[in-house]
Amino acid sequence: MTRPLPALTEHNRFFWISGQDGRLRFQRCTRCATFRHPPGPICAECRSPDSAAVVVSGQATVLAVTVDHHPWHPDFPPPYAIAIVAIDEDPRVRLTTNVIGCEPDDVSIGMRVQVSFARHEDVWLPLFTPITGAPVAATSPDPEIRATVRTMVSTDKFEDRVAITGVGASRIGRRLMVEPLSLTVDACLAAVDDAGLEIGDIDGLCTYPGPGQYAGGHSEGGVTAVEEALRIHPTWFNGGPETPGQSGSVVAAMLAVAAGLCRHVLCYRTVWESTAAALPAPAPSSSRVEGDMLAWRLPFGAMSAANWIALYAANHFHHYGTTREALGQIAVTTRRHAALNPAAVYREPITMDDYLDARLISTPFGLYDCDVPCDGAVAIVVSAADVADDLRAPPVRVEAVGTQIIERLSWDQGTLTHEPQLMGPSAHMWSRTDLRPADVDVALLYDGFTFNCLAWIEAMGFCGRGEGAAFVEGGHRIALDGELPLNPHGGQLSAGRTHGYGFLHEAVLQLRGTAGARQVPGAEIAVVTTGGGAPGGAILLRSRP
């Protein structure tokens, strides 16, 4: 294997070859002089298509840093420092990069750095070295979000015309070595039966993320695979990765039902990551990384979401005084909940000492900050509200969804103290209901990493920005008998990474009152959040009509 390098295009070539003469260049609008990065076809400020590549000083300030301790790639032996730096000419322009020329643990937020290029084939990677003797620069939390939540187009909400009527899950575990479509069919049949329906009643299919991620263990093969297996002949179907959270596929199904395209949509999500990791890796189709989202990170060893989200966590730690113990409280508490869930992958209790002593992955994340890759499938039936009461199980009603984008969908530009696509869906969801955070009885908050969960707690308004650590302190508020019972099934940190759908499954059980030993007494309102970054979305559910 060789270091992942970006595919050069007519739009980005100037940047990746800039180091030929030792000078860093960025695209800048020739009309309003606004820098834009990554390079794009139009200025977001004045909408001009005209631009030029201009030389900058090459000096920058470190805004976030994580020290990677996991060997993701042979070209990146750990430990090494991954940083997000802001250029002097415009602090809104950032680069994911490596800081070299010092010990990785010595890199800190506010460090002043200077560009230093490293050539790899025909690419000059901009790395940065500390500026000797430079004072630490002041950095500030994220700027105010400029976009506002849009008002409702109509008081006639589509949410009122749909309900969740069935849920089902396959066996969930580590390295099951089961063909993923088999897992999918098991979950789908269980969900249809749970609703008291027959396969012939299903007239819609919807999934996330479709067939494109099949090789990495993230999909069963999409709508095509399931339709071939079950022969449903739907009047509507949909599948793709660009949705408001993994649950965005369920929102799409709700819209289709509300519009009258179909009456019962079968939604499903399948992962088989742990089995895929045990199989021989396929040969890469290209030695170059294509697409803006990865091409600007992988060449610097930011290979995993563990790295990308750790950078947000580090920034949150710096500005708000958050500690590892705060993240650990989420891991310890939800593992305690998982002990009550017979389907959870990991049920053995862990202590705070266990959490703190676990091996580091990407600072500040250790092993127990990361969710559990697993194999399994979850399915959900979305039905028209006017038939939901006639089915087998009590329907779960949809109070509101949150889907709006109000921030840049980027992993290093824009927001840094929390993931993007959290604040927008949260505020949008609350704008579509008279309910408020205090009305929530149980919270199913995405925890791909502990920090995802902490950021959602703040974004949802259960506490203020930067107050998440105080909110979870001691674990009392987020316990099953606390004011905000959090992830009673154990979340993805302990129950397994079913990639969003597991939270919806648990929400339905809680609102039906059928969650067994982990049941939150009297649960009538549940909030579900899935994803973060791109995608990210929120759904508010209720048990009562």
Side-chain angles (χ1 to χ4, degrees):
M1 294 179 68
T2 59
R3 175 185 293 253
L5 295 174
L8 302 187
T9 70
E10 61 177 309
H11 302 293
N12 69 23
R13 182 181 299 275
F14 80 90
F15 180 88
W16 293 115
I17 69 171
S18 185
Q20 285 178 327
D21 61 3
R23 297 192 293 176
L24 186 62
R25 292 168 173 82
F26 284 92
Q27 185 183 41
R28 189 171 68 181
C29 176
T30 54
R31 179 185 294 174
C32 71
T34 297
F35 285 97
R36 56 185 188 257
H37 186 76
I42 192 170
C43 176
E45 297 294 328
C46 72
R47 310 300 183 193
S48 170
D50 300 324
S51 66
V54 300
V55 174
V56 297
S57 66
Q59 295 192 355
T61 299
V62 174
L63 296 186
V65 60
T66 180
V67 178
D68 182 86
H69 289 264
H70 187 79
W72 305 105
H73 190 283
D75 248 24
F76 295 96
Y80 56 94
I82 304 168
I84 294 175
V85 303
I87 66 170
D88 282 4
E89 287 74 10
D90 186 343
R92 296 173 299 177
V93 177
R94 288 87 174 270
L95 285 176
T96 295
T97 184
N98 302 123
V99 177
I100 60 174
C102 65
E103 291 298 316
D105 287 335
D106 291 338
V107 182
S108 61
I109 293 175
M111 175 181 278
R112 297 282 294 139
V113 290
Q114 174 71 46
V115 73
S116 173
F117 292 96
R119 183 178 181 180
H120 294 268
E121 300 178 15
D122 56 351
V123 171
W124 279 258
L125 296 177
L127 312 180
F128 286 79
T129 60
I131 299 176
T132 304
V136 174
T139 63
S140 60
D142 298 329
E144 289 298 315
I145 297 171
R146 295 166 62 180
T148 58
V149 174
R150 297 177 185 268
T151 57
M152 290 175 58
V153 175
S154 169
T155 56
D156 178 22
K157 298 195 308 179
F158 81 90
E159 292 99 326
D160 296 333
R161 298 195 288 276
V162 300
I164 296 176
T165 57
V167 293
S170 72
R171 186 162 51 116
I172 295 173
R174 297 272 287 166
R175 296 183 178 87
L176 297 180
M177 308 306 287
V178 175
E179 207 280 323
L181 187 56
S182 296
L183 298 173
T184 309
V185 168
D186 288 347
C188 288
L189 294 178
V192 173
D193 180 68
D194 182 63
L197 296 168
E198 302 292 336
I199 283 292
D201 297 318
I202 300 298
D203 52 3
L205 287 175
C206 197
T207 186
Y208 175 97
Q213 300 295 321
Y214 187 81
H218 285 270
S219 170
E220 67 298 300
V223 168
T224 300
V226 171
E227 171 59 16
E228 274 294 296
L230 298 179
R231 308 294 171 89
I232 288 171
H233 309 298
T235 57
W236 175 85
F237 61 93
N238 185 63
E242 292 192 308
T243 68
Q246 293 87 354
S247 60
S249 53
V250 179
V251 175
M254 294 173 182
L255 289 166
V257 170
L261 273 170
C262 37
R263 188 165 289 274
H264 301 289
V265 180
L266 181 58
C267 308
Y268 50 93
R269 174 82 182 96
T270 304
V271 292
W272 50 291
E273 290 181 89
S274 59
T275 287
L279 299 175
S285 58
S286 171
S287 60
R288 293 299 176 103
V289 182
E290 297 183 0
D292 279 349
M293 294 301 286
L294 294 177
W296 300 99
R297 297 195 303 276
L298 299 193
F300 304 99
M303 309 294 293
S304 165
N307 305 133
W308 316 334
I309 296 171
L311 289 161
Y312 293 115
N315 196 279
H316 197 280
F317 277 35
H318 176 77
H319 288 295
Y320 301 124
T322 308
T323 63
R324 289 200 68 210
E325 285 78 2
L327 301 185
Q329 196 61 68
I330 293 172
V332 171
T333 301
T334 54
R335 175 63 69 88
R336 187 181 307 123
H337 297 170
L340 303 175
N341 177 10
V345 174
Y346 291 130
R347 302 179 63 199
E348 303 81 6
I350 58 172
T351 66
M352 185 61 74
D353 285 342
D354 293 330
Y355 167 83
L356 294 172
D357 292 342
R359 65 183 175 90
L360 289 173
I361 302 298
S362 191
T363 58
F365 293 160
L367 182 64
Y368 293 121
D369 289 295
C370 309
D371 63 7
V372 183
C374 66
D375 301 340
V378 178
I380 294 162
V381 177
V382 174
S383 299
D386 59 2
V387 299
D389 287 323
D390 299 328
L391 301 183
R392 176 179 295 160
V396 169
R397 309 289 177 172
V398 184
E399 174 65 22
V401 303
T403 58
Q404 186 180 340
I405 296 171
I406 64 173
E407 303 167 271
R408 288 188 68 172
L409 296 185
S410 167
W411 287 100
D412 52 12
Q413 313 298 313
T415 183
L416 280 181
T417 57
H418 62 276
E419 291 177 88
Q421 199 55 5
L422 271 64
M423 295 296 179
S426 299
H428 186 223
M429 185 193 78
W430 292 122
S431 76
R432 297 180 63 80
T433 177
D434 292 330
L435 297 177
R436 287 295 169 259
D439 296 311
V440 173
D441 298 313
V442 58
L444 290 307
L445 304 183
Y446 193 81
D447 61 349
F449 300 91
T450 50
F451 183 72
N452 290 93
C453 196
L454 190 79
W456 273 117
I457 288 172
E458 294 183 2
M460 273 285 139
F462 296 119
C463 64
R465 292 277 296 274
E467 298 174 1
F471 187 88
V472 302
E473 185 175 2
H476 311 297
R477 282 174 166 156
I478 58 174
L480 290 181
D481 59 353
E483 65 184 79
L484 187 72
L486 176 68
N487 295 347
H489 62 313
Q492 298 187 159
L493 294 171
S494 292
R497 185 196 296 158
T498 48
H499 230 198
Y501 265 55
F503 298 101
L504 283 165
H505 185 279
E506 180 69 10
V508 170
L509 298 186
Q510 289 289 334
L511 295 181
R512 287 178 177 173
T514 59
R518 64 186 186 274
Q519 177 66 48
V520 174
E524 294 185 342
I525 304 295
V527 67
V528 177
T529 66
T530 55
I539 304 177
L540 193 64
L541 301 171
R542 67 181 192 273
S543 60
R544 56 183 183 265

